[in-house]
Structure formats: structure tokens, C-alpha cells
Amino acid sequence: MKKTVFLLLFLGVSFQVSDYQNQTRKSEKTILSELLSDSIHFGFGSEKLWSATSADNWGFVRQSATWARGNSGIIDNLILALKNAGYFNNPTASRTDVLSNVNLSGFGSATLTIKINTPTANVASTAYAGNKTFNHFLEIKKTGASTPSLQLFFDDPNTTLGNDGALVYYRLVDFGNPQFANVGDVITESYTANDSIYGTKFQTYTWRNGPENSSWISKVGRVILTEVDSGRQLCFRSTLKLNFSKLEVINPSVTALKNACAITQGAGDSVYYILAYMQKFDSPFQTTAKATITKNGTKPETICNISESSWDKARLSYGIFNINGYVTDQLTASQVPSDYPSPSQGGSDFMSVDDAFIRTYVALGALAGQTAVLQYELSNQAFLDALDTAEGNLKFK
């Protein structure tokens, strides 16, 4: 079988942080305009997920940790803006502000709704079961619009640990970057809180309404991040649902892979890209990764369960990386160098690569690794298909 280049792009979003000093003589509205303008300027990037060229098989791994760390600042930056505008100078005071015609650079005229110590109840999410009540709330809405562009719910301006955490929704097309012009109505949900099972902090990103074009190829997907091993490692897991008929419009060369996976046109032409890796936070950022592609609810060791004897690129795993990017792949567990994260050996508060891979793409409550899979890490076929069909809890409140 010919080697087929299968280029899959993934959206990377990061917030930029600016200097929040020397604000004390300005009005609250002016301070908010400046601080929030700085907090909601996005950066954009797209990466290959897989191709038949070895180094490109793992293009997403080379940049996704940077993407993940950038995204983890979204909630922190918005809360920091409110803190620096004085909203928590009296930590027990309740207040509700509705500020009209606030000019946010790159966004335009906005209406801001801010509720401090004014609880918002019955907030549902895809990342936890049931409803939560959050103490504080921020909403950014274009002047005259009926739909918000961003909503943030949080409990404590000083930490997301030990409470209900923080939840944010945002609509990328509203934020002024020309590179977002073609992302349509994609809505992203991010939730962060503490995790008593693995590590001390997790963050999950879930999206729907992706336009399935070259700017954003997946309609739905989820990324789960966990800081583990006492903050020494990042555990990254993700599943994306991809549609071959849409991919062929972007890149006709995927047809051969479509045929290899026995994908038929119509209801059965979706595939699911599954990735898990562990990365050390210290330089040289050694990383061990495992990935596959499937067309159904099971997770094969090879792409679409294709035999390695019929295609030498059918098995991706294991791939290893360092500060310079791709090193090599198609390793067995015993071939992964000992100074890299272990494929099979975890610890009391962190997973092995195999454990992380097992916990990705299985049902809620499945006994995978040390304990049952929780709501925030659910990323299997049934979960993504449900989001593809209806918004469920992934919507502005």
C-alpha cells in the first residue's frame, strides 16, 4: 500500500498576558477595558496530527504541550483582570455591575456583566455531573448581541483548587483575529478544578460546532490535561471526531487512507483520533506518546486495526520526543529509553502512558487504571457522537 499523506490540522489557542501595573488612578471602566482587552487577545496555530511521514505522524505532539499551557492561562488571566480592577478589594462584598459600551481592543464595543459574591446556581457542564453553584460571574457580550461571546463562572479568585473550580465558555469568531474568520460557531468549554485521583489540578477543553474546514477540521473533540507527579509531568489526552468526506475536500490525498480504513460514504465516514502522552516539565521535556485512529467504539493498537504486515505505518506507538521535537516512533515498550516517561510504570499520583491511553476512549465509570473514569475525562465515541448530535450542556448559560 502506498504511503498516504494524511494531514490533520488542530486549532491551538493561547491568551497573551500583559502588564497590569500602574492602574490605580484610572476609572474602573477604563481599567476593565484595558485589562480585558489584554486578556482576550488570542494566538492561533494549527498542527499536523498524522501523516505517513514518520516525523509528521506526531506533529501535534510537538506543539500541543505549548498549546495546553497557553490555554491553561485563560481563566487565570480573566480573574486577574477582575482582581486588578479592584473587584475583590472587599472580599465579602456582594455586587452586580452591568457596564455598557466598554471598548475592548480587537473585539469592539461590549457589554460586561460582573457578579461578585452573587451566586449563580444550577450551572451544568459536560465536565462534571449534575449542577454547581459558582460565587462569581463574568460575561462579555458584543453590544446589541443576544448571544454572549464569553462567560466565566468561578468560586475563588485566588485558587481553583478545593472548591467548585472555574468554568469558561467562549466563541472564538467574536475576538477579532482574522485567522478566526472561518471557524464559524465553534464554542469551547473549559473547566478546571482539583483532582484527588491523579495529580493536583486538571483542565479539560471540549468543543462543538467546529466548521470542519482547514481552519478547524473537527466538529467535536475533547482535550484533558492533568499536572501529575508533584508537578513534574503533564498528562495529555485527547480524542477528535473527524469526517472523511470533509477531510477529502481539504486534502484529497486522504482518500487512500479512507479506503484502507474501509470507510464508506455517508453515516459511516467518521473516524476518531486518540492520543495520550506524558511529558516531563523539566528540559529537555522528554515525552512518550501513544496514538491510534479508529472508526468505531473500540480502540485498536494499529490505525483502523490494519495489519502491520500489510502497512508498515499502521502502528504509531510508541513515539518519543524531546526539546528538539520528534526523535523516533514505532518503539516497543522495552525500547523506550529509561529516562523517558514509562509506557507501563506509573506512580501514586500519576499514570503511565499505557494507563493514560487506556483511560481515553472508554465509557464513564469504566475501571481503567487505578480507578473509574470520571466525567471530566470522558472522551469516547458515545460522548463525542452525542455532542455532534445536540449541544447538551455545552452552551452559554
Side-chain angles (χ1 to χ4, degrees), residues 107-177:
F107 183 88
S109 179
T111 298
L112 307 181
T113 301
I114 302 167
K115 298 180 180 180
I116 304 299
N117 292 316
T118 304
T120 303
N122 299 317
V123 179
S125 165
T126 70
Y128 52 78
N131 298 321
K132 292 184 181 293
T133 297
F134 292 94
N135 295 330
H136 315 296
F137 172 73
L138 165 67
E139 179 182 85
I140 301 174
K141 184 184 292 186
K142 283 186 174 292
T143 298
S146 59
T147 302
S149 296
L150 182 146
Q151 288 182 328
L152 170 66
F153 305 84
F154 62 104
D155 266 349
D156 187 335
N158 298 311
T159 181
T160 57
L161 305 182
N163 52 54
D164 285 333
L167 175 70
V168 66
Y169 295 87
Y170 49 89
R171 189 171 179 267
L172 292 171
V173 75
D174 289 345
F175 286 90
N177 190 319

Side-chain angles (χ1 to χ4, degrees), residues 224-242:
I224 307 106
L225 310 171
T226 315
E227 293 180 9
V228 299
D229 192 18
S230 301
R232 290 187 288 265
Q233 293 190 70
L234 170 72
C235 176
F236 181 102
R237 289 170 282 162
S238 67
T239 304
L240 313 180
K241 182 177 181 180
L242 305 163

Side-chain angles (χ1 to χ4, degrees), residues 195-346:
D195 178 12
S196 60
I197 298 170
Y198 289 111
T200 57
K201 182 180 181 180
F202 72 83
Q203 192 156 14
T204 184
Y205 297 88
T206 313
W207 63 89
R208 68 180 310 272
N209 291 340
E212 298 178 286
N213 59 25
S214 59
S215 295
W216 192 311
I217 63 163
S218 63
K219 188 174 182 181
V220 295
R222 170 167 275 182
V223 169
I224 307 106
L225 310 171
T226 315
E227 293 180 9
V228 299
D229 192 18
S230 301
R232 290 187 288 265
Q233 293 190 70
L234 170 72
C235 176
F236 181 102
R237 289 170 282 162
S238 67
T239 304
L240 313 180
K241 182 177 181 180
L242 305 163
N243 183 295
F244 261 113
S245 61
K246 302 292 181 65
L247 290 172
E248 284 180 297
V249 174
I250 301 167
N251 179 11
S253 67
V254 305
T255 301
L257 184 62
K258 173 183 173 181
N259 294 336
C261 289
I263 301 296
T264 57
Q265 201 73 11
D269 73 344
S270 293
V271 292
Y272 305 82
Y273 179 93
I274 304 156
L275 170 68
Y277 67 79
M278 300 291 294
Q279 181 185 64
K280 293 184 177 181
F281 277 127
D282 292 335
S283 183
F285 309 112
Q286 290 157 316
T287 301
T288 306
K290 189 171 186 176
T292 193
I293 295 172
T294 184
K295 61 179 181 177
N296 53 41
T298 60
K299 184 174 68 253
E301 289 290 313
T302 60
I303 294 169
C304 293
N305 209 26
I306 299 170
S307 168
E308 292 180 58
S309 62
S310 64
W311 190 23
D312 63 353
K313 294 296 181 182
R315 178 171 60 88
L316 296 177
S317 304
Y318 297 93
I320 60 173
F321 311 82
N322 59 27
I323 193 171
N324 297 313
Y326 172 82
V327 177
T328 190
D329 66 356
Q330 295 190 301
L331 299 176
T332 64
S334 63
Q335 290 173 326
V336 174
S338 60
D339 54 339
Y340 279 76
S342 171
S344 58
Q345 297 297 315

Side-chain angles (χ1 to χ4, degrees), residues 37-78:
S37 290
D38 288 336
S39 295
I40 61 176
H41 277 184
F42 295 88
F44 176 91
S46 56
E47 284 297 320
K48 298 173 184 175
L49 279 182
W50 184 84
S51 83
T53 302
S54 291
D56 285 342
N57 286 350
W58 304 90
F60 185 47
V61 176
R62 294 197 297 269
Q63 293 298 324
S64 59
T66 301
W67 170 86
R69 286 191 291 269
N71 273 271
S72 68
I74 291 173
I75 290 171
D76 292 341
N77 290 346
L78 292 170

